[in-house]
Amino acid sequence: MRVIAILLIAFVALEHAGFLVLEMFLWEHEIAQKAFDLTPEFTSQTSFMAANQGLYNGFLAAGLVWGLLGKKRDVVFFFLGCVIIAG
């Protein structure tokens, strides 16, 4: 059971790292436009907001990885709680 929990937490961290890349670096690229069904005009106007969201997702990913690598259960619970509340 512990291994499954660690793998699921790592998957959530990987997802948030992917969101970081998508929102901070690929927002105005056709990859993000297709992923979120957005127009080039919209992504151009909202790139500063997407970068902020991407940074937030990066902090969530970093916190989860920190908790996993440091075997800090309370840190993992905190960042998973942040993911749940934000979601």
Side-chain angles (χ1 to χ4, degrees):
M1 184 68 174
R2 181 168 165 76
V3 173
I4 294 172
I6 291 171
L7 290 174
L8 289 173
I9 294 165
F11 178 70
V12 172
L14 184 63
E15 278 185 314
H16 283 276
F19 291 139
L20 173 140
V21 171
L22 194 61
E23 293 170 345
M24 290 190 77
F25 305 112
L26 300 175
W27 187 250
E28 294 186 57
H29 194 273
E30 65 182 41
I31 294 172
Q33 292 169 2
K34 286 182 182 179
F36 296 112
D37 194 28
L38 302 172
T39 64
E41 296 80 20
F42 182 81
T43 56
S44 175
Q45 294 171 350
T46 59
S47 63
F48 66 97
M49 291 188 290
N52 187 37
Q53 291 172 192
L55 184 63
Y56 171 77
N57 281 305
F59 281 125
L60 291 176
L64 289 170
V65 170
W66 172 42
L68 283 175
L69 294 178
K71 298 181 180 174
K72 299 177 185 290
R73 193 175 185 183
D74 54 339
V75 172
V76 171
F77 283 151
F78 172 78
F79 282 99
L80 283 176
C82 291
V83 169
I84 291 168
I85 291 168

